[in-house]
């Protein structure tokens, strides 16, 4: 076998291995699947309210011009969402609302209290930054907008009331 043919065979085998392993080439997910993954791995799976809030943040990022212009591009960004969000297995039996919630957000539903928020973190965590304006706590997360520090009027996440989401 000549060197040129060997190189082509090796490249073909490497590309096939990548496709079969689910990395890069050929592993395209739909916007629906990517939204489901963000909601599944980032929200309290029993809280539709939390799922819609996560989905609203994803859509705010897509529409902002500061992030990728697709749901999959936003969700797959390194260090932005849960580790392994695009690769880990989901068990939709534990989150039967995920599929419907993702479809609803992709069709235009937004959480009414999210506004322009593009960020969230696990509720209960505190950070020393002075530019976090909190808008909502739901589904195990605290959602916030980044603002200039003198425009922050809610520097501490609001406390959720059992069964009710507050601003």
């Amino acid at each position: 076998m000549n060197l040129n043919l060997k190189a082509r065979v090796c490249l073909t085998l490497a590309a096939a291995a990548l496709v079969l392993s689910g990395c890069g080439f050929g592993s395209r997910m739909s916007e629906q699947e990517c939204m489901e993954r963000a909601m599944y791995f980032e929200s309290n799976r029993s809280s539709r309210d939390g799922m819609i809030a996560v989905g609203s943040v994803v859509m705010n990022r897509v529409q902002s011009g500061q992030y990728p212009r697709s749901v999959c591009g936003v969700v797959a960004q390194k260090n932005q969402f849960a580790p392994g969000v695009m690769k880990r297995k989901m068990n939709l039996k534990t989150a039967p609302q995920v599929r419907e919630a993702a479809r609803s957000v992709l069709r235009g539903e937004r959480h009414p209290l999210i506004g322009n928020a593009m960020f969230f973190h696990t509720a209960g965590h505190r950070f020393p930054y002075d530019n976090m304006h909190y808008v909502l706590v739901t589904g195990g997360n605290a959602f916030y907008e980044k603002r200039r520090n003198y425009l922050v009027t809610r520097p501490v996440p609001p406390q959720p009331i059992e069964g009710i989401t507050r601003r």
Side-chain angles (χ1 to χ4, degrees):
M1 199 184 284
N2 69 32
L3 186 59
N4 194 20
L5 182 57
K6 274 187 179 179
R8 285 195 313 224
V9 169
C10 286
L11 285 173
T12 302
L13 290 174
L18 286 172
V19 169
L20 293 174
S21 70
C23 299
F25 308 108
S27 66
R28 300 237 182 239
M29 290 186 197
S30 69
E31 300 283 284
Q32 172 81 26
E33 291 170 303
C34 292
M35 183 63 77
E36 288 173 10
R37 289 182 155 283
M39 291 176 167
Y40 182 87
F41 290 111
E42 291 291 358
S43 68
N44 176 337
R45 295 176 193 144
S46 63
S47 168
R48 184 180 189 280
D49 196 57
M51 290 182 219
I52 298 299
V54 167
S56 297
V57 165
V58 170
M59 296 310 294
N60 283 349
R61 286 184 175 202
V62 168
Q63 295 165 354
S64 75
Q66 300 170 25
Y67 295 89
R69 292 276 194 197
S70 71
V71 171
C72 291
V74 166
V75 175
Q77 271 195 301
K78 190 173 181 171
N79 299 323
Q80 294 296 303
F81 290 91
V85 68
M86 298 302 283
K87 295 177 185 172
R88 290 179 18 210
K89 289 189 183 275
M90 295 190 306
N91 178 359
L92 293 179
K93 290 178 184 174
T94 63
Q97 302 174 61
V98 168
R99 189 152 283 144
E100 179 278 325
R103 186 175 8 259
S104 186
V105 167
L106 290 171
R107 289 181 177 165
E109 181 179 355
R110 300 293 182 270
H111 195 288
L113 301 179
I114 286 295
N116 296 321
M118 289 193 281
F119 308 96
F120 60 91
H121 60 73
T122 303
H125 287 189
R126 297 287 184 263
F127 298 92
Y129 310 116
D130 63 357
N131 66 340
M132 300 166 79
H133 176 82
Y134 290 94
V135 296
L136 175 69
V137 173
T138 188
N141 291 308
F143 296 83
Y144 63 96
E145 298 172 358
K146 285 186 180 177
R147 295 183 175 180
R148 294 177 190 221
N149 63 350
Y150 59 87
L151 296 174
V152 172
T153 59
R154 189 175 295 136
V156 176
Q159 294 299 311
I161 298 174
E162 191 67 32
I164 299 173
T165 302
R166 284 186 27 193
R167 276 179 93 161

